[in-house]
Amino acid sequence: MIKSILIVDDEPQILRAFQSAFVGTDYSIQYCENGADALVCLGAHGVDLLITDVRMPGMEGLEFLRIVKEKFPRILRVILSGYMDIKLVFRALEENLAKTYWIKPWSNDEFKASILKLSELEEIFSKRALLEFFNNMNDLPTMPKMYMTISKLIGEDADVDKISKVIEKDPAIASRILRIANSAFYGTHTGSIHQSIMYIGLSNIKNLLLSHSVFEQVALQKGVFQNLWEHASRTNAIASFIYAEFLGRKIPQIYASAGLLHNIGLIVLWMRNGNSYLEAIVKEDLEVSTISELEKELFKVTHEELGAYLLNWWDVPLPIVEAALYHHRPSSNMIINKELVSVIHLAHFYAWESLGEKLFKEPLETHVFEDLGIEREVLERHIQQMEFNHK
């Protein structure tokens, strides 16, 4: 629960605007005009939420956020920025220095609603059932070593050659990256990891490493779980296709791998419960209508909650965490990144359909088509023509 907030900005009018925005609320608010003073304040008092500009005198915004992340990792970090600083913002999100960002000027109502949504996420992740589930797992997926190495190199602005050489040391990961780069979506024909990185993007490479580390743990299992990686890959491709063909722009790099990671909770449930999980799903006498309801009944948690918890623990950007948590419920009022969640909801559904798999396919919320301005028949016709449907 968010109760205390520190706002860091060197513009007096911005601080006055915040003071006005929080009139009548129960939040405890503190203000600082620079990063150095803010670090002193955090050391003395501590807060639940930090809202900071990325351009301030003295200490540069990204440097300030790196220090906060290292010294006060439990504090939620949000960037406040102008449109001119959007490249800095995306760099901060790529380095997981902040959960999300707000652009100046803002609507007070939307601003306060976003804080409530962040607070709701923290409430979900502190649920006793979730904590007990992970505490009782002996083989909880950990942050892969290569992911941490690549993240460090990206943070140091290492060149692609150096990053490529690290990836090439692991043939399994290298081959998966090549497969994606040479897929129908990217349309390349390369055997070079360097070129693959250039096409896929560093953010996608990082998230690919994350998903690979989890999916490889069930790679040798037979049955329906063999389809999970293929489903994740297709979901990612369909999501990117929807952005490009129907929304008129590329999916933002910082969450372009949301499709790869959105269903990781299924892997976590299987790792904990083995075949008993699958056996429970295929029973025909269930008194619940969805898999998530069944999971709640059996385990007190759902695969959406488990996946989001794990991704949040790994410090993955908030939009990807939300895609994991809400991909079956895009109508939830608690979603900050509504567009991405809606796209992943559609991509998830049609990826299972393209595989002919009905076991994990939950109901489609058809209002999403109207929300995104997409004609259902047109989208379905295009998906049927995508190359992966003919493998």
Side-chain angles (χ1 to χ4, degrees), residues 224 228 231 262-263 266 277 281 289-292 295 303 327-328 345-365 376 380:
V224 70
L228 282 176
H231 174 262
H262 80 286
N263 231 9
L266 280 176
Y277 172 62
I281 291 176
S289 59
T290 67
I291 293 173
S292 298
E295 293 167 350
H303 70 274
H327 64 272
H328 289 310
H345 176 72
L346 291 178
H348 167 93
F349 179 89
Y350 287 110
W352 278 132
E353 190 164 87
S354 73
L355 285 164
E357 177 61 64
K358 297 181 180 179
L359 195 58
F360 294 112
K361 194 170 72 172
E362 299 219 2
L364 182 65
E365 292 194 9
R376 180 172 183 170
E380 290 180 347

Side-chain angles (χ1 to χ4, degrees), residues 334-378:
M334 289 294 105
I335 301 171
I336 296 174
N337 301 278
K338 198 85 170 179
E339 182 181 79
L340 176 67
V341 173
S342 296
V343 170
I344 294 298
H345 176 72
L346 291 178
H348 167 93
F349 179 89
Y350 287 110
W352 278 132
E353 190 164 87
S354 73
L355 285 164
E357 177 61 64
K358 297 181 180 179
L359 195 58
F360 294 112
K361 194 170 72 172
E362 299 219 2
L364 182 65
E365 292 194 9
T366 55
H367 66 84
V368 169
F369 291 102
E370 183 177 351
D371 295 344
L372 294 173
I374 295 174
E375 293 186 26
R376 180 172 183 170
E377 295 78 9
V378 177

Side-chain angles (χ1 to χ4, degrees), residues 142-167:
T142 56
M143 185 73 79
K145 183 178 179 180
M146 184 176 288
Y147 176 90
M148 293 187 288
T149 301
I150 298 300
S151 295
K152 185 173 184 294
L153 289 173
I154 292 173
E156 295 170 350
D157 286 327
D159 60 42
V160 174
D161 280 334
K162 190 171 184 179
I163 294 172
S164 300
K165 288 176 182 176
V166 172
I167 292 174

Side-chain angles (χ1 to χ4, degrees), residues 183-286:
S183 67
F185 175 72
Y186 287 101
T188 64
H189 299 282
T190 180
S192 164
I193 292 297
H194 183 286
Q195 286 185 323
S196 297
I197 292 174
M198 297 300 290
Y199 279 109
I200 296 174
L202 289 173
S203 296
N204 285 341
I205 292 294
K206 284 172 59 179
N207 291 327
L208 179 59
L209 295 175
L210 274 180
S211 60
H212 175 87
S213 71
V214 176
F215 281 101
E216 70 177 350
Q217 298 184 50
V218 294
L220 299 179
Q221 301 299 325
K222 296 180 179 180
V224 70
F225 278 93
Q226 288 180 310
N227 280 341
L228 282 176
W229 167 256
E230 184 61 32
H231 174 262
S233 181
R234 293 187 183 200
T235 299
N236 214 55
I238 294 172
S240 296
F241 178 79
I242 290 172
Y243 265 93
E245 297 297 323
F246 291 90
L247 302 184
R249 62 190 185 280
K250 288 185 177 181
I251 185 171
Q253 280 291 319
I254 57 171
Y255 45 77
S257 294
L260 287 177
L261 297 166
H262 80 286
N263 231 9
I264 272 181
L266 280 176
I267 297 292
V268 176
L269 269 178
W270 183 86
M271 289 172 62
R272 170 75 182 276
N273 299 284
N275 289 333
S276 62
Y277 172 62
L278 191 58
E279 291 168 1
I281 291 176
V282 299
K283 286 183 179 178
E284 296 181 358
D285 57 347
L286 296 178

Side-chain angles (χ1 to χ4, degrees), residues 9 20 94 191 237 254 274 296 308 325 328 363 388:
D9 199 296
S20 175
E94 284 181 336
I254 57 171
K296 204 78 165 180
L325 183 59
H328 289 310
F388 56 65

Side-chain angles (χ1 to χ4, degrees), residues 35-36 38-40 42-43 50 58-75 77 95-97:
L39 289 174
V40 173
L42 291 173
L50 169 68
M59 187 180 301
E60 195 258 342
L62 295 187
E63 178 189 358
F64 169 61
L65 285 168
R66 291 187 187 104
I67 295 173
V68 174
K69 181 179 178 180
E70 179 181 352
K71 291 188 174 182
F72 311 101
R74 292 185 177 275
I75 294 176
R77 303 175 298 277
E95 292 185 38
N96 299 321
L97 299 178

